[in-house]
C-alpha cells in the first residue's frame, strides 16, 4: 500500500473545511484543552492521536458541539459554528460516529440505513405516513450498502453481524446523512486484522469526496491511512504534520510512541 503522506506530496493542497483556533475547555480549575489550532481539509484523512488523557475526546466533543468551548473559535465551511447547537451542526454536514457501535440491533441492515436516510428525504418527522412510504428509499439505501460492501447482508439483522461489519454499517448510516466532514472515534477499536483492513479501505474511499477526522490508537493504521496527524499531550498540541514527520519528533516518541519505530 502507498502511505497517505507519500500520496499527499503528489497533489495540491486541499481547502480547509473544518477549522479551530485557540480552542480551550476548562472544567472548574482543570484545563482539558488549551490553545488548540486545527485545520481539517477536504478529501483528506486527519488523525488526532496522543496518550490516554491527552484531550482527544474533549476536542471531538468541542468540534461537534457536545461541549461548548471556554474560549476559541470553530468554523465549518467558513461559517462560525462556535455557539451553534449540535443538531444544527449535524444538519450542516458535521457528522460523528462513536467508539461504541450505534446501530439498531433488531432492525435489518437495510432498515438501519433507511432510518438514517429519512432526514434528508424529509420523512424523519412524518410519523403518520405508512411504513411502506420508506420503500421509496430502498434504491438509495441499497446503493449505499453496495458502496460499503454490505449489499449481500441487506436483510440480516444488525444484531447478527460481526463486530467489524457492525462498524461498517455504522459508517454507512453516517454516510446516509451526507456529511461534509466525518468524525470517527477510534474506528478500529476491538477489531481483528481482517476487519481493520476492511474499515481502513472504506475510510480511504470515503475520504475521496469528504474530509475525515479520526481519533485512532493503531499507529500502523495512522501511518498508512492519514494525510495529516495532530499529536496532543495534556490538552495541547505537541506536534503536527504527516506521520513520517511526527513519528521522528523526539518529544512525540517520548510522550506517546516510546521506542516504537515508525
Amino acid at each position: 500500500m502507498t502511505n497517505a503522506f507519500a500520496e499527499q506530496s503528489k497533489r495540491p493542497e486541499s481547502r480547509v473545511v473544518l477549522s479551530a483556533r485557540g480552542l480551550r475547555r476548562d472544567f472548574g480549575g482543570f484545563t482539558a484543552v488549551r490553545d488548540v489550532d486545527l485545520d481539517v481539509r477536504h478529501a483528506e484523512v486527519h488523525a488526532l492521536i496522543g496518550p490516554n488523557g491527552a484531550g482527544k475526546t474533549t476536542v471531538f466533543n468541542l468540534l461537534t458541539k457536545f461541549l461548548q468551548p471556554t474560549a476559541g473559535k470553530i468554523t465549518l465551511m467558513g461559517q462560525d459554528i462556535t455557539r451553534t447547537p449540535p443538531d444544527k451542526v449535524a444538519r450542516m454536514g458535521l457528522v460523528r460516529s462513536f467508539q461504541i457501535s450505534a446501530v439498531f440491533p433488531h432492525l435489518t441492515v437495510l432498515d438501519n440505513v433507511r432510518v438514517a436516510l429519512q432526514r434528508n428525504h424529509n420523512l424523519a418527522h412524518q410519523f403518520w405516513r405508512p411504513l411502506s412510504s420508506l420503500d421509496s428509499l430502498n434504491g438509495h439505501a441499497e446503493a449505499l450498502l453496495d458502496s460499503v460492501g454490505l449489499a449481500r447482508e441487506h436483510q440480516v439483522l444488525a444484531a447478527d453481524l460481526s463486530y467489524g461489519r457492525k462498524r461498517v454499517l455504522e459508517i454507512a448510516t453516517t454516510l446516509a446523512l451526507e456529511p461534509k466532514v466525518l468524525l470517527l472515534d477510534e474506528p478500529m477499536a476491538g477489531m481483528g486484522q481482517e476487519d481493520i483492513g476492511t474499515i481502513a479501505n472504506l475510510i480511504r474511499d470515503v475520504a475521496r469526496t469528504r474530509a475525515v477526522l479520526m481519533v485512532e490508537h493503531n499507529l500502523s493504521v495512522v501511518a498508512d491511512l492519514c494525510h495529516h496527524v495532530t499529536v496532543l499531550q495534556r490538552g495541547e498540541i505537541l506536534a503536527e504534520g504527516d506521520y513520517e514527520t511526527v513519528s521522528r519528533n523526539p518529544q512525540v516518541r517520548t510522550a506517546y510512541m516510546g521506542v516504537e519505530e515508525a
Side-chain angles (χ1 to χ4, degrees), residues 154-187:
H154 71 287
Q155 290 299 337
V156 175
L157 290 179
D160 294 333
L161 294 174
S162 68
Y163 179 74
R165 303 302 277 170
K166 284 178 184 175
R167 298 312 300 264
V168 172
L169 175 57
E170 182 184 4
I171 292 175
T173 60
T174 59
L175 293 178
L177 302 175
E178 299 182 3
K180 296 179 176 67
V181 184
L182 181 60
L183 278 66
L184 302 175
D185 192 358
E186 297 191 35

Side-chain angles (χ1 to χ4, degrees), residues 110-111 113-115 117-141:
L110 179 66
D111 283 341
V113 176
R114 293 202 308 174
V115 167
L117 284 170
Q118 288 182 71
R119 190 192 74 184
N120 288 341
H121 288 79
N122 298 317
L123 294 172
H125 303 294
Q126 299 182 27
F127 54 85
W128 61 86
R129 294 170 66 103
L131 188 60
S132 59
S133 65
L134 295 182
D135 290 346
S136 63
L137 305 179
N138 285 352
H140 191 171

Side-chain angles (χ1 to χ4, degrees), residues 70-249:
T70 304
K73 181 179 180 180
I74 305 168
T75 58
L76 176 65
M77 310 296 290
Q79 184 172 343
D80 189 343
I81 61 167
T82 309
R83 301 298 170 190
T84 304
D87 59 328
K88 185 174 181 180
V89 166
R91 289 195 295 272
M92 292 170 65
L94 183 61
V95 178
R96 174 183 181 175
S97 75
F98 292 86
Q99 184 176 351
I100 299 173
S101 183
V103 298
F104 296 106
H106 301 301
L107 294 182
T108 66
V109 167
L110 179 66
D111 283 341
N112 267 275
V113 176
R114 293 202 308 174
V115 167
L117 284 170
Q118 288 182 71
R119 190 192 74 184
N120 288 341
H121 288 79
N122 298 317
L123 294 172
H125 303 294
Q126 299 182 27
F127 54 85
W128 61 86
R129 294 170 66 103
L131 188 60
S132 59
S133 65
L134 295 182
D135 290 346
S136 63
L137 305 179
N138 285 352
H140 191 171
E142 289 167 356
L144 188 52
L145 289 175
D146 184 56
S147 72
V148 300
L150 281 174
R152 297 176 66 178
E153 292 134 298
H154 71 287
Q155 290 299 337
V156 175
L157 290 179
D160 294 333
L161 294 174
S162 68
Y163 179 74
R165 303 302 277 170
K166 284 178 184 175
R167 298 312 300 264
V168 172
L169 175 57
E170 182 184 4
I171 292 175
T173 60
T174 59
L175 293 178
L177 302 175
E178 299 182 3
K180 296 179 176 67
V181 184
L182 181 60
L183 278 66
L184 302 175
D185 192 358
E186 297 191 35
M188 312 298 178
M191 288 190 181
Q193 195 59 44
E194 182 177 349
D195 286 333
I196 286 174
T198 298
I199 297 294
N201 287 332
L202 176 55
I203 292 172
R204 185 178 287 108
D205 287 341
V206 165
R208 297 183 192 279
T209 56
R210 55 182 57 80
V212 176
L213 175 65
M214 58 189 283
V215 169
E216 183 53 55
H217 286 293
N218 188 320
L219 297 184
S220 295
V221 169
V222 172
D224 179 62
L225 192 59
C226 298
H227 302 91
H228 196 88
V229 180
T230 298
V231 185
L232 290 179
Q233 184 184 33
R234 300 187 183 94
E236 298 183 80
I237 293 179
L238 181 62
E240 58 183 332
D242 59 42
Y243 182 81
E244 185 176 25
T245 299
V246 300
S247 65
R248 291 177 178 175
N249 184 306

